[in-house]
Amino acid sequence: MERSDILRAGAMIVVFAIFLATLHVIHRRPAERSVSDAPSVSTPDDLSAELRRCGALGPQDAEDPHCQAVWKENRARFFGGPARPLLPQAAPATQTMKDATQGDKR
């Protein structure tokens, strides 16, 4: 065997060793985090609660200014706008159709 063949075999071994080291680094798993470091389960925010409340109002209350602001904020959040917390507001005094029809039957 000539000297160039030995150098070529050595170079191939070095390249193979670098390849294996790279694979090892890529597939290395991160250290396990303790439970206290894990983020807590997200709780529904005020916007989610307001969206549910406005969704339950029905089409007759579509002109509610607070609900329009809530839907606008939801669109802004969805399209990447900054999330601003909304101040909680009491439910409107208007009755829904279901409540109004039940009130008539009593």
Side-chain angles (χ1 to χ4, degrees), residues 21 85 95 100 106:
Q95 291 182 342
R106 292 180 190 165

Side-chain angles (χ1 to χ4, degrees), residues 3-73:
R3 182 179 169 135
S4 62
D5 291 337
I6 294 173
L7 289 176
R8 189 175 298 142
M12 288 180 6
I13 290 173
V14 168
V15 169
F16 185 70
I18 291 172
F19 178 73
L20 288 177
T22 304
L23 284 178
H24 175 71
V25 169
I26 289 173
H27 293 291
R28 184 175 47 190
R29 294 184 183 211
E32 294 293 325
R33 294 191 304 174
S34 66
V35 175
S36 62
D37 292 342
S40 63
V41 176
S42 64
T43 59
D45 57 355
D46 291 336
L47 183 64
S48 297
E50 290 297 314
L51 285 169
R52 283 191 299 276
R53 184 186 72 77
C54 290
L57 290 179
Q60 69 274 11
D61 293 324
E63 273 75 43
D64 181 26
H66 181 69
C67 286
Q68 287 179 350
V70 168
W71 289 113
K72 182 178 177 183
E73 178 63 31

Side-chain angles (χ1 to χ4, degrees), residues 52-105:
R52 283 191 299 276
R53 184 186 72 77
C54 290
L57 290 179
Q60 69 274 11
D61 293 324
E63 273 75 43
D64 181 26
H66 181 69
C67 286
Q68 287 179 350
V70 168
W71 289 113
K72 182 178 177 183
E73 178 63 31
N74 187 45
R75 283 190 299 274
R77 184 184 287 187
F78 178 77
F79 289 115
R84 295 177 300 274
L86 294 173
L87 297 175
Q89 180 185 16
T94 60
Q95 291 182 342
T96 62
M97 287 293 228
K98 184 178 179 184
D99 292 340
T101 57
Q102 287 177 352
D104 293 339
K105 290 180 183 177

